[in-house]
Amino acid sequence: MNNEIHTFGDALLKATVSARGAELTSLTQADGAPLLWNAGPEWRRHSPVLFPIVGRLPGDTATIDGKAYHLTQHGFARDQAFQFVETTSDGCVLELHENERSLAAFPFRFRLRIAYAIAGGKLAVHYTVVNPDDRKVLHASLGAHPAFLWPLHKGDPGTAYRLVFEEPEPEPIRRVSGGLLSAAAYPTPVNGRELALDDSLFADDAVIFDQIRSRSLVFGRPGAAGLKVSWEGFPELGVWTKPGAPFLCIEPWHGLATPQGFSGEFRDKPGLFHLQPGEAWEAGWAVEVVNA
């Protein structure tokens, strides 16, 4: 291992993680077939970590104790250098702490630990956020943003693909407008447990499930190998692509873009978790190859 990346895996799956943003940058099967988007020109990321916010703030500004802080979309963690604190043949652990740069945008102490592990052909990612402060409450959000190839197999039409949720998803979905969460609710595009995938779904940006029932889904086309994505500790799910781009992001979140019209203190923003001094928040997601 060098100080910038670590590659690990088993006989079925291999992954590479970068210290920059603690980002998963490669996920391949035993035959070398890629599963993760290559950060091409349509979108220059693979699987960023969204912290300490998910989505955007009005004017990229957080009001914290009456003072304005410049905090851009999805926060700063995805662009900061994490430290590898453990590396093994089947995984790694990285950490990020508050620093001069983070405190300028987000005046809270924190410890963010991300653990990656592969076993039995399954990649598991676990997040722990700790509030090390002895006085202040830590208000934050965290989201995953992995981009998988769509289609997964060369020559497949993208419209042959679907998401099959663990449970029926009849509740309305949400959308963003101008980067902020629209007040409107929209009829679910899920038919029972199935969401047929088409670029037109994403003409208005992400499909946001803020009342998601499922804790897993399968992404693929019938009769072919697909991906099972599962999650725990994340109450929301986003699904997104740039129309025309060959990837699909399946994004478990704890948090949402700021609602349109919100102008209060950051601590009152919907979708945050609130950690008392010494308290921790944990969540995770996993992916494995299955028959779709």
Side-chain angles (χ1 to χ4, degrees):
M1 187 205 83
N2 63 34
N3 291 328
E4 300 300 324
I5 64 170
H6 178 57
T7 298
F8 57 95
D10 63 8
L12 299 174
L13 209 58
K14 292 200 179 302
T16 298
V17 169
S18 171
R20 179 180 171 84
E23 185 172 8
L24 178 69
T25 59
S26 175
L27 186 65
T28 58
Q29 299 183 78
D31 61 1
L35 301 172
L36 199 69
W37 168 241
N38 64 4
E42 295 92 338
W43 189 56
R44 293 292 192 182
R45 299 182 188 268
H46 306 270
S47 180
V49 177
L50 316 183
F51 177 85
I53 58 171
V54 172
R56 177 157 277 151
L57 299 167
D60 291 333
T61 300
T63 301
I64 300 172
D65 296 330
K67 183 177 178 180
Y69 291 85
H70 184 64
L71 187 57
T72 56
Q73 183 178 27
H74 295 325
F76 50 73
R78 59 185 182 167
D79 295 317
Q80 291 225 346
F82 283 64
Q83 296 295 316
F84 284 103
V85 296
E86 182 181 323
T87 56
T88 63
S89 62
D90 58 3
C92 58
V93 180
L94 305 94
E95 279 194 357
L96 179 70
H97 301 253
E98 79 281 351
N99 52 62
E100 184 177 350
R101 179 181 168 195
S102 77
L103 289 169
F106 185 69
F108 295 96
R109 296 182 63 204
F110 66 87
R111 184 168 75 249
L112 170 56
R113 173 174 280 222
I114 304 176
Y116 291 88
I118 289 178
K122 181 178 183 177
L123 170 69
V125 188
H126 188 82
Y127 307 86
T128 305
V129 180
V130 176
N131 178 8
D133 201 289
D134 58 5
R135 294 182 299 109
K136 291 178 67 173
V137 177
L138 170 60
H139 312 283
S141 285
L142 188 147
H145 203 314
F148 302 106
L149 291 177
W150 175 32
L152 289 166
H153 310 286
K154 288 184 179 179
D156 281 355
T159 51
Y161 281 64
R162 62 186 183 173
L163 298 181
V164 181
F165 290 87
E166 175 190 29
E167 302 286 346
E169 297 295 346
E171 302 298 336
I173 63 164
R174 305 295 296 277
R175 293 285 196 176
V176 294
S177 178
L180 302 180
L181 190 69
S182 172
Y186 297 85
T188 181
V190 181
N191 182 10
R193 295 170 52 227
E194 294 190 14
L195 174 60
L197 293 172
D198 186 274
D199 273 352
S200 62
L201 271 173
F202 308 101
D204 294 322
D205 210 286
V207 176
I208 300 169
F209 297 89
D210 67 338
Q211 301 178 71
I212 189 80
R213 298 181 178 186
S214 299
R215 288 297 173 262
S216 69
L217 59 79
V218 174
F219 164 55
R221 67 169 173 83
L227 297 177
K228 180 179 180 180
V229 179
S230 54
W231 58 92
E232 58 181 355
F234 292 107
E236 293 93 23
L237 183 77
V239 182
W240 173 78
T241 190
K242 285 192 172 183
F247 66 81
L248 185 75
C249 294
I250 301 171
E251 310 175 39
W253 298 336
H254 192 305
L256 297 161
T258 306
Q260 290 179 325
F262 178 86
S263 60
E265 279 276 333
F266 178 77
R267 63 176 175 264
D268 297 322
K269 176 184 178 298
L272 302 179
F273 50 79
H274 309 276
L275 301 183
Q276 298 295 322
E279 193 174 10
W281 171 90
E282 298 184 60
W285 65 274
V287 61
E288 58 190 311
V289 178
V290 297
N291 290 323

